[in-house]
Amino acid sequence: MTRLLKEAQLRELPFLAGVDEYDDTIFNRRQTHTVALELVELREMTEIRNQVEDIEAAIGIVQQRPHRYLVFNGD
């Protein structure tokens, strides 16, 4: 995950760059739309493609129903 977060910071992607790798970061359903758009910019990086796909799958689950959240668990 660290490589993905560092790349998000380099590209100044505000939501993903703000994920705290040492604490929990939580996005609500509306915010996951922006996270998904940011992931599009990272998709071409083969070394993090699996992580991007996993996060996109989680976003799909979050967006299916209200009161679901995308949670990044810090260490």
Side-chain angles (χ1 to χ4, degrees), residues 27-73:
F27 296 107
N28 65 35
R29 247 173 97 205
R30 294 183 73 190
Q31 292 170 322
T32 60
H33 177 71
T34 302
V35 173
L37 293 174
E38 291 181 4
L39 288 171
V40 170
E41 292 194 38
L42 300 174
R43 205 165 226 302
E44 81 276 354
M45 297 185 64
T46 56
E47 63 271 11
I48 60 171
R49 182 168 288 145
N50 288 339
Q51 292 175 350
V52 169
E53 290 172 353
D54 289 346
I55 297 168
E56 289 173 334
I59 288 172
I61 294 168
V62 169
Q63 292 179 343
Q64 288 175 1
R65 293 184 20 207
H67 309 296
R68 289 186 175 175
Y69 301 88
L70 178 66
V71 179
F72 290 88
N73 291 319

